[in-house]
Amino acid sequence: MADTVNALLLREVKTRFGSNRLGYFWALFDPIAQVAFMATIFTLIGRESITGVPISLFLIVAILPYKLFSKLLPQLSAAVSSNKALFGYRQVAPIDPVITRLLIELVAFVVVYLLVALILTWLGIDAVPDDFLKLLLATLLLVVMCLGLGLALCSATIYWEDTPKLLSIVLMPMFFISGIFFCATMIPAKYWFLFDWNPVFHVMELSRDAFFSSYQTPVGDWAYLSVVSLGCLALGLGSYQINRLKFVTQ
Amino acid sequence: MIKLENLSKYYKTKQGRHYILKDVSIELPTDRNVAILGPNGAGKSTLVRMLGGADLPNRGKISSDKRISWPLGLQGGLQGSMSGRENVRFVARIHGYKDTREIENKVRDFAEIGKFFDEPVKTYSSGMRSRVTFGLTMGFDFNFDVLLIDELSAVGDANFKKKSEALMKEKYAQTKLIMVNHSVAELKRFCDAGLVIYNQQLHYFDSLDDAIEEYETRYVSNR
């Protein structure tokens, strides 16, 4: 399996980032440019800071995990269907491309996160999380949720091949309801119910809570997020186990 | 010996399940070169793919203590969006090779398709495809006991045929074939035993001539 994932990794990296080195630059530059754009806009129109935190950093802490979510989920859910031809080799199991894509997105995420933190530090903003372990846990729960949903969607794609199209429609409004350019304390408490069903909103709230000791989330709930994430993972693994033969034969 | 136990394979169609094989239990020898005979759509390619692990039966299982190749043929094996070289590299890597350059060069020299080796496989002609597929197995030292061949040699030009036959005889003296081919002459040259597919069952014949005889009485009406 390690050999297979290695082979898939090298192949996928090449198709994703192109064959020249400029591809790697674009892969990193694209999310950084987006973050910089958003941060600049909101700094220009908004207040200087929120609960003593520079608004750019406040946004970045949510934008980066959101980018991970919005890239990882479609990538994972298409992992099996776009590598079908390779299952002809018995060494390649359907889970292998899923693991491969998970690794690629995670590495890209960590590198971008570090680069952005470096740039912010260079600009004179203190970009070190106050509670690193909690931040890590929130991110991990997000990744677990994506993995579970991705696997479940891989299975769903067998039965209904338009699943990815539906996914991209569902993901569109997620940007606006996941608490990226706002946080729970900006919303009147009686309207929290509009957002607090959304596990991604919890990820953002808890990430900010972990990153800034001055921000205390009134909504973010570790128990809820954990249950949803592990539930998704169970669903994903279960549907994979049930459909593992169909992935190869179809 | 390849053992098939209670093997069933069907495809789902709009009119229900279309069985290709139903409750097949048979032992195929691996010390003979076996030709698989049957008309179009009888399930020859599917059988070869199942033997090679590229497809799975709906019920039952296939087991063997021999090393069986993946199905070499026009259909599978190579991925269209990757170049010939990348395909070779990929196959080498999943078999655990770290340095793939030597194998790449071997396959390139064998295939003799020039600059197309670095073009996507989907731009290849069927002959070029089979050159790469064939080169792939020849470039490695897999020591397969059984090679699965699905209509592979049917497409090469005379020069390539000669070359691949010579190499196969030399390198794979110990290797046996399981082969699908619509040309009886081709089968007669390589194989000495036959397997006929009819009534969703497999019928093994120790002599190829008997198998061809059986195939013709079953399927060829105006003989």
Side-chain angles (χ1 to χ4, degrees), chain A residues 11 14 89-91 249, chain B residues 55 68 77 79 82 86 95:
Chain A
R11 191 182 98 73
K14 197 168 178 185
Y89 299 103
R90 77 187 83 181
Q91 287 88 346
T249 49
Chain B
D55 202 341
I68 302 171
Q79 214 207 5
M82 300 197 290
E86 283 163 345
H95 285 89

Side-chain angles (χ1 to χ4, degrees), chain A residues 114-137:
Chain A
L114 288 177
L115 279 177
V116 168
L118 275 176
I119 293 169
L120 286 175
T121 314
W122 181 60
L123 290 172
I125 298 169
D126 176 25
V128 177
D130 289 326
D131 192 335
F132 179 69
L133 286 180
K134 269 192 187 167
L135 183 68
L136 203 63
L137 181 62

Side-chain angles (χ1 to χ4, degrees), chain A residues 98-111:
Chain A
V98 177
I99 296 171
T100 305
R101 288 191 166 185
L102 184 66
L103 284 175
I104 292 177
E105 292 303 329
L106 282 185
V107 169
F109 170 73
V110 170
V111 171

Side-chain angles (χ1 to χ4, degrees), chain A residues 130 208-216:
Chain A
D130 289 326
R208 282 184 178 135
D209 191 293
F211 210 102
F212 315 114
S213 49
S214 58
Y215 180 72
Q216 296 223 312

Side-chain angles (χ1 to χ4, degrees), chain B residues 13-14 35 39 52 68 113 116 134 207:
Chain B
T13 62
K14 280 176 188 150
I68 302 171
I113 54 170
F116 273 94
F134 215 74
S207 126

